[in-house]
Amino acid sequence: MRAALLGWRILNQRRWYWYLRYQAVVGALMLRDDTDEPVPPEINEAALRICEILDALFVPMEVRGGLFNKIGRWIREKVTQGVRYPLHDAAAGYTYWDRLYAWAREAAETREGSAALDYADFPVREDRSHLFAKRFVAKTSALLLSHALPDSLNRFRERMAFQVHRGPTWADASARHRRIAATARTATAGVASTVLTYVGFNQDLVNSLGIGGLTLASTAVVEATSGGYSGLTEPMKAARRQARDWLATMSLWLVQYVTWRDGEIREGRTEGVHQLLGILTALRAEEATLDRPQDTERIERHLQRLIEAANRVGDTDLETALMNVESAVLYRPAHIVNALSALIALVEGVTDLPGPTPGPSLGRADPPGNVPRQLGRPDSEPLPRAE
């Protein structure tokens, strides 16, 4: 009877370690933290491959020499745990998170690990392995505090959570997890900036700012930013609403420097993001050209305040988009269309404050003047772009 109970306990412990490692890898690979979204087959296959790589790598800073160390590691990996996993009990609990991070990062930096990340369509960036490892650690922390497990596994989860979080109460452990998740979100934040740069500055991907182009840009940004663990904070939403309100005044300034294809210079009589969107659509379709703006002092002051606000609330993506607009306005006016496109895509979907609903959505905007709603190639020779 005791042998049967011991065998059942070991079986459940093996299930727990396999589940913990696999689910942490899957969660790290899926930037969209939607619990209702099924795991795509590519994510599952990439996660299984990364788990194989982790099994083949020694955990950094753990002692490898000595007969008893080797025997203990073999028993854990072949009998009691079933997988290779960092030590976390006794004194090892103090350095568990550091070793877990280093282990995941080393796996992501291998040739096979990089191929698995490519297969899972994980973002390609300079600190890719760092991003994966941070997310792996944060997902592990969340799994250790999650009670949504069968009772046979919950016992192992609770014991391990107590060993590595080292808090006298669940609230203390939860607070520690929030700090871990915050560092991972900081690493993840740059993903949306990368997407914004690509969406905003790639003419082939978004060749017009009509309904389809803006929807594509907004969707890409939402998918990237939703990788944050708790989404946007209320101060971040407020900063983005402030940027959106500022964009509503940009058309009055920008239209002064726009010359339409018929040679007319139209004065700005209305304002709003819808009007701005129409101007940008015409510029991108070469229905109009943009002269180098002269009066930039007021715009620069507003941008500086918005950039400071984005920095203050920790919204890296908004700060990047605003800095791109600032650079375009001051130094490279040919990039104004793309920089403003990226900023519109970023702030368009932020929720409004409670109260009366504002005007219609951006997608139903009409271009200014006689610019047609559906834009094709102009019949006449395109006017040169502003340099």
Side-chain angles (χ1 to χ4, degrees):
M1 184 63 180
R2 289 186 177 180
L5 289 175
L6 178 61
W8 179 248
R9 183 179 182 278
I10 291 176
L11 178 62
N12 282 322
Q13 184 168 274
R14 288 168 62 94
R15 288 174 56 204
W16 160 246
Y17 280 104
W18 186 92
Y19 172 86
L20 175 63
R21 193 180 66 176
Y22 169 78
Q23 289 294 341
V25 173
V26 168
L29 292 175
M30 294 184 66
L31 291 179
R32 297 186 64 181
D33 292 345
D34 185 355
T35 56
D36 296 327
E37 182 180 357
V39 177
E42 295 83 3
I43 298 291
N44 172 63
E45 293 165 12
L48 291 174
R49 183 69 187 98
I50 291 175
C51 286
E52 288 183 341
I53 298 169
L54 291 171
D55 267 330
L57 293 175
F58 285 107
V59 179
M61 299 309 296
E62 289 191 359
V63 179
R64 304 178 193 177
L67 178 62
F68 289 106
N69 289 323
K70 291 180 180 179
I71 292 175
R73 184 171 62 248
W74 185 90
I75 292 175
R76 289 194 304 273
E77 294 175 8
K78 305 302 182 183
V79 182
T80 59
Q81 294 181 357
V83 298
R84 179 166 290 178
Y85 202 80
L87 292 170
H88 52 79
D89 56 347
Y94 290 105
T95 59
Y96 165 76
W97 299 111
D98 293 333
R99 287 180 289 108
L100 186 69
Y101 165 82
W103 187 46
R105 181 165 188 170
E106 185 177 349
E109 289 176 347
T110 63
R111 182 172 56 84
E112 297 84 358
S114 179
L117 294 180
D118 290 338
Y119 189 70
D121 200 23
F122 197 73
V124 178
R125 44 187 276 186
E126 186 177 353
D127 58 345
R128 189 189 204 186
S129 60
H130 167 72
L131 171 61
F132 171 78
K134 281 290 187 183
R135 289 182 60 81
F136 179 74
V137 168
K139 290 299 179 181
T140 300
S141 175
L143 288 166
L144 286 172
L145 296 178
S146 174
H147 290 77
L149 288 174
D151 289 340
S152 58
L153 299 184
N154 257 325
R155 182 172 60 177
F156 300 105
R157 179 198 60 78
E158 288 175 353
R159 185 178 65 181
M160 184 174 173
F162 178 78
Q163 291 169 340
V164 300
H165 278 293
R166 294 182 177 273
T169 66
W170 187 89
D172 294 331
S174 180
R176 182 185 180 94
H177 164 68
R178 286 194 294 271
R179 292 193 295 271
I180 293 173
T183 62
R185 173 165 172 73
T186 301
T188 307
V191 176
S193 298
T194 303
V195 173
L196 278 173
T197 301
Y198 184 70
V199 169
F201 288 84
N202 189 294
Q203 294 278 352
D204 295 330
L205 180 60
V206 187
N207 54 18
S208 74
L209 267 182
I211 297 174
L214 184 62
T215 300
L216 175 60
S218 299
T219 301
V221 172
V222 166
E223 288 181 352
T225 55
S226 63
Y229 295 96
S230 58
L232 296 175
T233 64
E234 288 305 318
M236 288 179 177
K237 292 178 183 178
R240 294 193 181 196
R241 279 192 291 266
Q242 192 176 61
R244 188 175 60 187
D245 292 341
W246 172 77
L247 278 170
T249 69
M250 271 293 287
S251 59
L252 291 174
W253 174 80
L254 190 64
V255 75
Q256 305 174 69
Y257 308 103
V258 174
T259 302
W260 305 96
R261 193 168 62 178
D262 54 13
E264 181 183 355
I265 300 178
R266 304 173 186 174
E267 294 295 332
R269 297 183 178 86
T270 61
E271 62 180 71
V273 180
H274 311 86
Q275 177 79 357
L276 177 62
L277 179 59
I279 295 173
L280 298 179
T281 303
L283 289 171
R284 191 182 292 277
E286 297 182 345
E287 295 287 340
T289 57
L290 180 66
D291 299 326
R292 178 178 288 276
Q294 301 298 323
D295 182 20
T296 62
E297 291 81 4
R298 180 174 59 87
I299 299 298
E300 184 179 3
R301 288 196 304 270
H302 290 175
L303 279 169
Q304 281 295 326
R305 284 199 294 268
L306 292 170
I307 291 170
E308 290 172 2
N311 178 269
R312 189 165 59 251
V313 300
D315 194 336
T316 307
D317 300 311
L318 177 61
E319 186 178 9
T320 300
L322 288 167
M323 290 176 67
N324 285 336
V325 173
E326 182 183 41
S327 177
V329 168
L330 296 180
Y331 310 113
R332 307 185 73 180
H335 288 177
I336 285 179
V337 173
N338 292 325
L340 286 174
S341 304
L343 182 57
I344 291 173
L346 182 65
V347 304
E348 188 271 338
V350 68
T351 56
D352 291 303
L353 289 171
T357 304
S361 63
L362 295 181
R364 293 191 287 272
D366 289 321
N370 60 359
V371 179
R373 178 184 292 275
Q374 299 296 331
L375 297 171
R377 291 183 59 86
D379 296 331
S380 61
E381 185 70 17
L383 296 174
R385 294 169 180 257
E387 295 296 330

